[in-house]
Amino acid sequence: MDYDALYRRSIDEPEAFWREQAARIDWHQPFEQVCDHSQPPFARWFAGGLTNLCHNAVDRHVPQRPDQPALVYISTETGQERSLSYGQLYVEVQRTAAILQAMGVRKGDRVLIYMPMIPEAVVAMLATVRLGAIHSVVFGGFASHALASRIDDAQPTVVFTADAGSRGGKVIAYKPLLDEALKQAQHAVPHVVVVDRGLAPAPLQAGRDHDFHTLRREVMDAQVPCEWVASEHPSYTLYTSGTTGKPKGVQRDTGGYAVALAMSMDLIYCGQPGETFFCTSDIGWVVGHSYIVYGPLLAGMTTIVYEGLPVRPDAAVWWSIVERHRANVMFSAPTAIRVLKKQDP
């Protein structure tokens, strides 16, 4: 790849360049315009096109790679490892989408996800966008008042959560934090779905709270088609930390986001279908959305979902994962590298 020539083309011929990049994803209805600048400062990418983020991340890969791992879950907190192939992920996403549908979630509705780094969290994200709904992931373990402010702003129909997460061997009970947040919030959430990991007590409130595993058993044969949405339709809202004031919701579209990610997996990270991508972030942050969930799956890669610290049980844990799962690309952060540099070499 000639980077200079590619960059020059993107500047000199942006319409042609982005039209070519848009071919990296499936379109249910072709777009009519690459970028609509008619209402500045807002722009609509791939105007007139219909697509779906879940279809592009999951469904379209099933015919070519049904048995390839799509998601490998590793927890050094609980000692668990699980793998979901593209075929299995396709089935699980439809089951969760059926659960959401039964609770009234439709195109444009919001689903708030307050969960640890477990496969069910990724499945909930994919199931939400499958329905044309909009997810808002809140970093697991955020305090109740922070969670309440996000609930009031997003006004979700459903909140997905878990009994608890674990960090550094310490269990963090999520359900009590969520219960307190729901008391503080002005918006009344009709449904709460709880993934019980057996880590902490998580009593269910009758009429509002539902056990995920019970619901899942009721929809084992569910088939839920993708809802085709306009390219500019929101895929998710993610809130800023709020450290400098009220948290601000940042919203992503669907088509432009998918095309940008698909391009980046190839041209920036050199990731190819069938290879393995290991991003050490968390789905509660934007990097986790883009490079744990959507980016690698759009590229037909295997994504590693890691629950744990970079130094537990020792500072070699990430490298053992890279070695065992033959990760081709690793995406981390300076903070993590500084933590590792403090360790005895």
Side-chain angles (χ1 to χ4, degrees), residues 198-226:
L199 295 179
L204 303 181
Q205 180 178 307
R208 185 196 70 186
D209 299 349
H210 311 268
D211 176 69
F212 171 75
H213 297 296
T214 301
L215 296 175
R216 180 179 172 275
R217 286 192 291 271
E218 297 170 357
V219 293
M220 295 298 281
D221 299 321
Q223 293 185 334
V224 180
C226 290

Side-chain angles (χ1 to χ4, degrees), residues 58-72:
V58 182
D59 299 40
R60 69 179 175 137
H61 298 303
V62 174
Q64 293 86 16
R65 55 190 77 251
D67 301 321
Q68 178 198 309
L71 182 156
V72 173

Side-chain angles (χ1 to χ4, degrees), residues 12-319:
D12 295 340
E13 304 174 66
E15 290 273 326
F17 175 84
W18 286 108
R19 188 174 294 277
E20 288 173 5
Q21 300 308 318
R24 294 178 182 273
I25 71 166
D26 284 354
W27 296 90
H28 181 66
Q29 176 177 299
F31 53 89
E32 298 162 2
Q33 188 176 356
V34 170
C35 191
D36 176 5
H37 281 291
S38 62
Q39 293 182 303
F42 304 104
R44 294 192 307 145
W45 281 94
F46 310 113
L50 295 180
T51 189
N52 181 280
L53 199 49
C54 182
H55 166 83
N56 279 288
V58 182
D59 299 40
R60 69 179 175 137
H61 298 303
V62 174
Q64 293 86 16
R65 55 190 77 251
D67 301 321
Q68 178 198 309
L71 182 156
V72 173
Y73 164 64
I74 301 165
S75 174
T76 52
E77 297 291 334
T78 63
Q80 291 181 312
E81 289 199 17
R82 286 168 57 195
S83 177
L84 286 174
S85 68
Y86 271 96
Q88 291 170 325
L89 184 60
Y90 175 70
V91 171
E92 290 300 333
V93 167
Q94 290 185 84
R95 288 170 178 164
T96 298
I99 290 170
L100 292 173
Q101 268 189 337
M103 293 177 174
V105 174
R106 299 292 183 266
K107 178 181 173 181
D109 289 341
R110 275 79 60 204
V111 175
L112 190 136
I113 298 169
Y114 179 64
M115 298 181 78
M117 286 284 287
I118 55 177
E120 290 83 359
V122 175
V123 169
M125 293 169 71
L126 291 164
T128 300
V129 295
R130 186 177 194 83
L131 298 175
I134 303 159
H135 61 67
S136 181
V137 181
V138 179
F139 178 70
F142 256 23
S144 297
H145 70 276
L147 183 54
S149 71
R150 288 157 174 79
I151 289 171
D152 279 337
D153 193 79
Q155 299 194 335
T157 303
V158 177
V159 172
F160 247 87
T161 191
D163 60 332
S166 180
R167 185 169 179 82
K170 180 183 177 183
V171 170
I172 303 165
Y174 284 19
K175 186 58 167 54
L177 291 168
L178 174 60
D179 287 341
E180 178 57 32
L182 292 171
K183 287 180 185 176
Q184 294 179 21
Q186 299 298 309
H187 172 71
V189 175
H191 300 286
V192 173
V193 179
V194 183
V195 177
D196 191 346
R197 307 176 69 196
L199 295 179
L204 303 181
Q205 180 178 307
R208 185 196 70 186
D209 299 349
H210 311 268
D211 176 69
F212 171 75
H213 297 296
T214 301
L215 296 175
R216 180 179 172 275
R217 286 192 291 271
E218 297 170 357
V219 293
M220 295 298 281
D221 299 321
Q223 293 185 334
V224 180
C226 290
E227 177 76 30
W228 301 106
V229 299
S231 178
E232 65 270 20
H233 181 77
S235 56
Y236 67 80
T237 303
L238 189 60
Y239 290 87
T240 59
S241 64
T243 50
T244 57
K246 183 180 178 181
K248 292 167 279 294
V250 179
Q251 196 160 269
R252 290 274 200 237
D253 70 355
T254 296
Y257 180 60
V259 170
L261 284 181
M263 183 194 74
S264 73
M265 295 306 297
D266 178 19
L267 300 185
I268 297 177
Y269 298 106
C270 304
Q272 298 301 313
E275 295 183 344
T276 300
F277 196 94
F278 180 19
C279 175
T280 68
S281 185
D282 186 286
I283 59 164
W285 311 126
V286 70
V287 165
H289 281 53
S290 296
Y291 294 111
I292 295 175
V293 184
Y294 294 116
L297 296 178
L298 285 167
M301 299 180 75
T302 299
T303 185
I304 293 175
V305 176
Y306 175 67
E307 180 185 37
L309 300 175
V311 292
R312 180 182 168 90
D314 55 57
V317 62
W318 283 357
W319 317 117

